[in-house]
Amino acid sequence: DFQGRLIHILPAKPSSDQANDAGIDTSNMTYKERQALARKKEAEAAKKSWSASFLRGDAVVDNLSDRLGVAKGDVLNVKDGISSGNAAVRLALGETHIISENIAFFE
């Protein structure tokens, strides 16, 4: 009796989309292992992926510092109170420039 009401509790059953197609026994796996297995199956079935022109921020800074002949910290830091914009903006502009060069190279 819960707050004047009867509660009918049934044991949980795995949903049909979580059915095990690979024949792997998941009954003795931990929750984390089952989630990792589900993510792996989802990733294998995914049709979209990262763009080939995706660049990480550190790669952009490395490239810009090599081209300009300055230290990596100098690409993002503001010197002597003079700023050419926000560091994120400079990073985005550098990334755009590098991606456009890559696209032009592959065309």
Side-chain angles (χ1 to χ4, degrees):
D1 204 25
F2 176 72
Q3 294 183 357
R5 295 182 173 91
L6 293 175
I7 297 178
H8 184 75
I9 300 175
L10 298 174
K13 296 179 184 176
S15 63
S16 61
D17 63 340
Q18 292 179 348
N20 192 2
D21 298 332
I24 299 172
D25 183 23
T26 59
S27 61
N28 57 357
M29 293 177 120
T30 64
Y31 175 76
K32 186 175 181 178
E33 291 171 337
R34 288 193 305 267
Q35 290 299 100
L37 182 65
R39 271 189 244 107
K40 185 177 179 183
K41 284 182 184 179
E42 185 178 314
E44 289 172 356
K47 294 184 178 162
K48 66 176 186 174
S49 63
W50 284 101
S51 172
S53 61
F54 175 76
L55 292 172
R56 291 188 340 214
D58 64 327
V60 173
V61 173
D62 287 342
N63 189 307
L64 291 175
S65 67
D66 288 343
R67 287 179 183 210
L68 300 174
V70 296
K72 294 177 190 177
D74 294 339
V75 174
L76 299 176
N77 288 342
V78 178
K79 289 185 170 182
D80 302 327
I82 300 170
S83 174
S84 60
N86 191 354
V89 173
R90 289 193 300 266
L91 189 64
L93 290 172
E95 182 178 353
T96 304
H97 181 71
I98 294 168
I99 288 173
S100 64
E101 285 180 346
N102 289 343
I103 290 172
F105 176 78
F106 287 114
E107 285 179 347

